[in-house]
Amino acid sequence: MGVFRRGGRRSERPGPPEPGAPDPSPHTPASTPAPAKPEPGLGDSVAELVERAERPVGAWPAVETPVERGRARALTAKVTRLLGSGGRGAVLGGKVLTEQLVRAAPRIPIRDLATLRAQHPGAEDPERLADLLVAGATRASGTLGAGVGAVAMLPAPPAIPVEIAAETLAVAAVEIKLIAELHEVYGVPVRGSGTQRTAAYLAAWANRRGIDANLLVRPAGLTALALGSEVRQQVRRRLSRSWIRRLPSAAPLLLGAGIGATVNRRDTRRLADQVRRDLRSHRPADGGYWTAAGRG
């Protein structure tokens, strides 16, 4: 069972025909446009970026690095368009960033432990599987930083503050996915409603911690995990802090693609280390959860 939403078919949204596209075939009425390829949303795009990044380092031919960086730039451009609709002032104030992340979080495809074990059959224990997930998320966030850092190196970088805000939002989604799946790996997932799961993982991301075990086992604790003003304020503070920390990467003479990637990788790994320390201190309610997830 996925935590936020199961992976699966992605929604299709027809778009306008590309310039120079051929006329419809005689068998297709002119008034019926051909179906467009579906454009994945933020959650699906983040999941694809992360899950591709989980491949072992040796499985990454050098020729694929620019391709992955191009995917990251496309994802950042998509988020930039989303943020741009709110106006630059709203983005800089943090409200738009917060609302976009709150809206995206329930749509991030989270894999349950059985799915993760099936995708990584070589991971023989929780620590090894967690290592793979952290490596994938770290590589994905680094790729996002490299993409925006490369844009910052241009002679006339376009709307850099908004680009940095878009990168911040995309990296936050990567890290929320990682936190949720680490809870699956260590046998302490949130089992409440969709709203409770979303609030729990958003708060965990904002506080850079694993979820308090007491909230996972007590009904009253889950009830308290409402996506209210307190969680939103925590998320807004964390997003604003992250955005401000990334602004120096917009200075072409100081940083660039390489340093932007390094900063993101370091931050994501630091978050993962803290969450894993917290989760190791929790005792899974089901002592046989790891073996059970590997059957079938």
Side-chain angles (χ1 to χ4, degrees):
M1 179 181 67
V3 178
F4 292 155
R5 179 172 65 79
R6 291 178 183 270
R9 297 186 58 188
R10 301 178 180 179
S11 59
E12 298 192 4
R13 181 180 299 172
E18 296 182 0
D23 294 332
S25 67
H27 303 291
T28 305
S31 59
T32 305
K37 291 183 179 180
E39 181 179 359
L42 173 59
D44 287 317
S45 298
V46 163
E48 182 179 5
L49 191 69
V50 169
E51 290 165 26
R52 285 176 61 86
E54 286 170 5
R55 289 176 297 171
V57 174
W60 279 73
V63 71
E64 287 195 22
T65 300
V67 174
E68 294 305 312
R69 191 171 295 176
R71 290 175 183 271
R73 280 198 295 267
L75 173 57
T76 304
K78 179 188 300 184
V79 181
T80 301
R81 291 193 297 272
L82 286 174
L83 297 177
S85 63
R88 178 171 174 173
V91 172
L92 303 189
K95 183 176 180 181
V96 171
L97 272 179
T98 301
E99 291 307 312
Q100 287 291 349
L101 185 57
V102 168
R103 190 179 306 171
R107 297 177 172 85
I108 299 173
I110 304 301
R111 295 165 292 181
D112 61 13
L113 181 57
T115 301
L116 289 167
R117 291 202 63 184
Q119 291 179 353
H120 300 286
E124 299 178 351
D125 55 52
E127 293 299 328
R128 176 55 181 156
L129 181 54
D131 287 344
L132 294 173
L133 299 188
V134 172
T138 301
R139 193 175 292 140
S141 64
T143 303
L144 287 164
V148 174
V151 172
M153 295 292 286
L154 295 175
I160 278 300
V162 179
E163 293 272 356
I164 296 296
E167 177 201 350
T168 300
L169 184 60
V171 171
V174 168
E175 292 176 346
I176 289 168
K177 178 179 175 65
L178 173 63
I179 289 172
E181 292 181 347
L182 285 176
H183 280 74
E184 291 281 335
V185 168
Y186 286 98
V188 286
V190 176
R191 298 299 189 195
S193 67
T195 300
Q196 290 167 339
R197 294 194 299 271
T198 299
Y201 290 124
L202 281 170
W205 174 80
N207 294 318
R208 322 307 269 178
R209 300 298 300 264
I211 299 171
D212 185 345
N214 292 328
L215 296 180
L216 300 177
V217 298
R218 296 176 181 174
L222 284 176
T223 301
L225 291 174
L227 192 53
S229 59
E230 182 178 354
V231 172
R232 288 174 186 270
Q233 288 173 6
Q234 292 173 349
V235 170
R236 184 170 180 173
R237 284 194 296 267
R238 175 58 60 183
L239 282 169
S240 297
R241 196 175 304 160
S242 298
W243 179 80
I244 290 171
R245 287 186 68 255
R246 285 185 172 87
L247 273 180
S249 67
L253 297 179
L254 296 177
L255 301 180
I259 302 300
T262 299
V263 169
N264 280 4
R265 285 196 298 265
R266 182 192 63 203
D267 289 352
T268 298
R269 183 167 294 280
R270 183 182 298 161
L271 166 67
D273 289 344
Q274 180 61 61
V275 170
R276 291 177 73 176
R277 280 196 295 270
D278 289 344
L279 294 179
R280 290 186 189 109
S281 69
H282 300 345
R283 178 173 296 179
D286 177 7
Y289 81 97
W290 178 263
T291 302
R295 296 173 183 153

